[in-house]
Amino acid sequence: MPTSGNPCILAIDLGTSAVKLAAVTLRGSIVGGEVEPQAVQLLPDGGAEQDPEAWWSAIVRATRRLLGKGVVSADDIVGINISSQWSGTVAVDERGKPLHPAIIWMDSRGAPHVRRAAHGFMPVEGFGLARLLTWVRLTGGAPTLSGKDPFGHILYLKSEHPQLYRDTYKFLEPKDWLNLRLSGRFASSFDTITLHWVTDNRDLQRIHYAEQLLQLAGLPREKLPDLVPAASVLGPLQPEAARALGLSEKVQVITGAPDILAAAVGSGAVRDFEPHLCVGTSSWIAAHLPFKKTDVFHQMGTLPSALPGRYILTNEQESAGLCLSFLKDNILFGHEELARHGNTGDPGQAPADLYQVLEKAAASVPAGSDQLIFMPWLNGERSPVDDQYLRGGFFNQSLKTTRGHMVRAVLEGVAYNSRWLFTYVEKFVGRRLDSLRIIGGGARSRLWCQIMADVLDRRIQQVDEPVLANARGAAFQAALALGHLTVDEIPSLVPVANTFEPNPQNRGLYDELFGEFVNLYKSNKAIFARLNRARSA
């Protein structure tokens, strides 16, 4: 299609706490961006929901605001692509209207139903052996027993909301529902659909629904969207969406990608065995790999990538930046104090400089936080252990503990958790990984980057504009789909802002504290289960 002198992709990053939207050139330069906060409804029975229509309204407002600023014109936008929170479920009717709030990745209400579906003869890690082998052989993984994926969400709706289940025309991932609004197509991509655990992923060129897996899930094929390859064009914007956004109907809608997979592209770590570490609301360590492999004991495996014909190692840790924002909003500062710091909007949102205040306080505390250890499992954990009953907290607090100690302990606790995962990542890939690119909101903190380097004992490369890695990845994927970019060009288009080398003076201390961090899990997991099992049932 003909373009203006500065063609751009409208990259939409649907996160849990906000919609971040950016106009990105075909070479990955951020022209301008907007942010719209999003609310999450946490329910007492382990539920976590969001309003899909609020996602769409936020995208419309942000797009209109971006265009209104004049940093990019509507004529400059040649494609639109979404990077989205993964592992969510939107139940819709034949018109695409949501029949229920979106069930998001934090929701564990499907856990008992998944356990029943997974149970069988010769149990292994909660799965019947034959069922587990079938899932691993065909998909490369298996449903999480915590219920926090579409497999669990759909079983929950089927068992506890049977009329809604019967009325549902399609179950869609969040990205796929937004693509429906944009393109009018009920479709999902090879990469996105994998967490339904009903597709045969052995041949990356022809991923398809497997009847054997659909039977295991008890899910009819007609309630799922059609499948298309990753990084493909769904078609032009439908007229209603184009009018709402203020864009041309010629703008092409690309399939998009889940956040983890888009971030891998946006980090620039697209060569095989190049890892990236994301410290956002949640956290993960991912890397493209040239083989298919699964580690069911630590909840990680290779799944189809956002790049066509590629596998990527995926895993996720439930809480990372979320721990710091929770500490800020619910423990250190009340709504009144947040307001005194100049916040005039949502009382739960502090101005950016408050994080700088916290970082300064943490920097005044010695490495190791005087042996104060924070456990970051505020909403359970996924990897390297799949345990919905784990919870967080501070250990070894004393009368000398200050606010700075607590903040630094949170930064270190998230780093200990990343090292715990990284231990199994290196075993999985079969080699030492000498450096990691870091992205996400937490990557803006130089202190946190240095703590990660010290705790992991690896070089940490801070990607330029790390918060926009997902948007950059979405833009790169769209440019690939439209034929404007090749994968080999991507690494050179993502600059590294700063490099952090491990401080050898902290090696012994952090090795000791990491060992105690793992011991805290081993010593307390049974207590967490007793305290939380009945309340989560």
Side-chain angles (χ1 to χ4, degrees):
M1 61 182 288
T3 66
S4 68
N6 189 31
C8 290
I9 304 299
L10 184 64
I12 299 168
D13 176 15
L14 173 64
T16 307
S17 59
V19 172
K20 295 183 283 290
L21 182 147
V24 189
T25 71
L26 300 177
R27 309 298 289 178
S29 297
I30 309 296
V31 176
E34 296 291 333
V35 177
E36 285 278 335
Q38 292 291 291
V40 179
Q41 184 179 12
L42 299 177
L43 305 175
D45 56 355
E49 298 178 346
Q50 289 186 308
D51 178 7
E53 295 291 351
W55 299 337
W56 176 249
S57 297
I59 290 170
V60 170
R61 288 194 303 271
T63 303
R64 288 284 187 172
R65 197 162 62 243
L66 180 65
L67 295 175
K69 289 182 175 179
V71 295
V72 63
S73 74
D75 292 337
D76 290 330
I77 305 299
V78 300
I80 188 167
N81 202 31
I82 295 171
S83 159
S84 171
Q85 54 170 284
W86 201 6
S87 195
T89 302
V90 186
V92 302
D93 63 18
E94 293 185 4
R95 298 172 298 164
K97 180 181 178 181
L99 300 175
H100 187 272
I103 302 175
I104 67 170
W105 58 275
M106 299 168 66
D107 194 299
S108 61
R109 288 176 291 181
H113 309 294
V114 175
R115 291 193 185 96
R116 283 195 291 271
H119 182 71
F121 180 67
M122 294 181 65
V124 177
E125 295 291 311
F127 293 87
L129 180 59
R131 292 170 182 252
L132 179 60
L133 292 176
T134 298
W135 268 311
V136 169
R137 179 173 61 87
L138 297 181
T139 71
T144 170
L145 296 177
S146 66
K148 295 178 182 179
D149 55 25
F151 186 92
H153 300 162
I154 295 171
L155 288 182
Y156 160 74
L157 292 174
K158 183 178 182 180
S159 298
E160 302 191 31
H161 299 274
Q163 186 59 52
L164 186 148
Y165 176 86
R166 287 192 293 269
D167 291 343
T168 296
Y169 175 62
K170 300 288 184 186
F171 292 106
L172 301 176
E173 275 273 358
K175 171 185 75 65
D176 298 332
W177 181 78
L178 289 173
N179 279 339
L180 173 63
R181 293 294 298 260
L182 294 169
S183 70
R185 292 185 62 181
F186 291 92
S188 187
S189 49
F190 291 171
D191 51 346
T192 305
I193 200 65
T194 51
L195 296 190
H196 285 68
W197 306 111
V198 291
T199 51
D200 186 335
N201 302 326
R202 291 175 294 178
D203 182 349
L204 290 171
Q205 306 304 321
R206 54 180 302 274
I207 291 172
H208 60 280
Y209 292 114
E211 184 59 36
Q212 188 176 5
L213 298 175
L214 290 168
Q215 290 177 1
L216 277 179
L219 182 60
R221 161 66 184 88
E222 58 267 22
K223 286 189 178 291
L224 295 172
D226 293 337
L227 299 179
V228 297
S232 57
V233 179
L234 289 175
L237 271 177
Q238 62 174 345
E240 182 181 352
R243 287 193 299 271
L245 296 170
L247 297 174
S248 166
E249 293 178 27
K250 296 180 181 179
V251 172
Q252 298 297 301
V253 181
I254 318 303
T255 49
D259 50 8
I260 296 176
L261 309 187
V265 178
S267 74
V270 295
R271 302 184 185 95
D272 285 341
F273 300 104
E274 287 185 344
H276 81 270
L277 163 63
C278 178
V279 183
T281 301
S282 60
S283 183
W284 61 76
I285 300 172
H288 288 90
L289 296 175
F291 50 76
K292 178 176 175 288
K293 183 179 177 180
T294 305
D295 179 355
V296 296
F297 299 104
H298 301 105
Q299 281 291 302
M300 65 176 72
T302 48
L303 298 176
S305 165
L307 301 174
R310 300 281 298 281
Y311 282 117
I312 186 170
L313 166 64
T314 58
N315 47 64
E316 186 164 17
Q317 297 190 308
E318 194 80 357
S319 303
L322 175 66
C323 299
L324 186 59
S325 61
F326 181 87
L327 178 71
K328 168 180 64 67
D329 295 341
N330 296 283
I331 298 177
L332 297 182
F333 301 100
H335 292 173
E336 297 82 3
E337 188 159 359
L338 289 173
R340 285 200 299 274
H341 275 77
N343 179 40
T344 56
D346 181 350
Q349 299 291 323
D353 64 350
L354 188 50
Y355 282 107
Q356 296 172 10
V357 171
L358 296 180
E359 182 169 357
K360 184 177 180 180
S364 69
V365 173
S369 303
D370 289 325
Q371 284 65 50
L372 179 68
I373 298 177
F374 176 73
M375 298 171 287
W377 312 304
L378 298 182
N379 194 44
E381 191 51 283
R382 290 174 182 251
S383 186
V385 294
D386 186 13
D387 191 338
Q388 71 181 103
Y389 303 123
L390 291 183
R391 293 296 180 265
F394 293 93
F395 182 80
N396 204 35
Q397 187 172 341
S398 76
L399 291 174
K400 295 181 180 179
T401 299
T402 65
R403 181 169 70 183
H405 284 90
M406 298 180 78
V407 176
R408 186 176 185 108
V410 166
L411 305 184
E412 291 173 335
V414 171
Y416 298 146
N417 214 34
S418 295
R419 176 170 168 176
W420 196 20
L421 175 60
F422 187 61
T423 300
Y424 295 103
V425 166
E426 287 196 320
K427 291 178 180 178
F428 189 99
V429 303
R431 63 178 65 187
R432 177 186 168 94
L433 303 174
D434 290 317
S435 67
L436 300 91
R437 290 195 172 203
I438 189 169
I439 60 172
R444 291 178 297 187
S445 166
R446 293 178 63 89
L447 176 62
W448 213 344
C449 288
Q450 186 61 56
I451 287 173
M452 284 291 183
D454 290 351
V455 171
L456 270 66
D457 192 28
R458 297 293 187 273
R459 180 185 305 112
I460 296 294
Q461 295 179 309
Q462 181 192 47
V463 169
D464 188 44
E465 297 186 278
V467 177
L468 296 176
N470 286 20
R472 186 188 290 117
F476 284 154
Q477 191 198 43
L480 287 168
L482 295 173
H484 296 295
L485 188 68
T486 65
V487 174
D488 291 341
E489 294 176 279
I490 292 176
S492 65
L493 299 177
V494 185
V496 172
N498 294 287
T499 297
F500 299 85
E501 299 288 349
N503 183 346
Q505 295 180 349
N506 295 330
R507 175 79 274 117
L509 173 64
Y510 279 135
D511 284 349
E512 176 189 354
L513 292 176
F514 170 69
E516 297 298 358
F517 176 86
V518 176
N519 286 337
L520 283 171
Y521 160 72
K522 294 176 180 177
S523 300
N524 291 291
K525 62 180 180 179
I527 298 175
F528 285 129
R530 290 195 297 271
L531 289 174
N532 300 312
R533 183 178 288 116
R535 292 163 181 79
S536 302

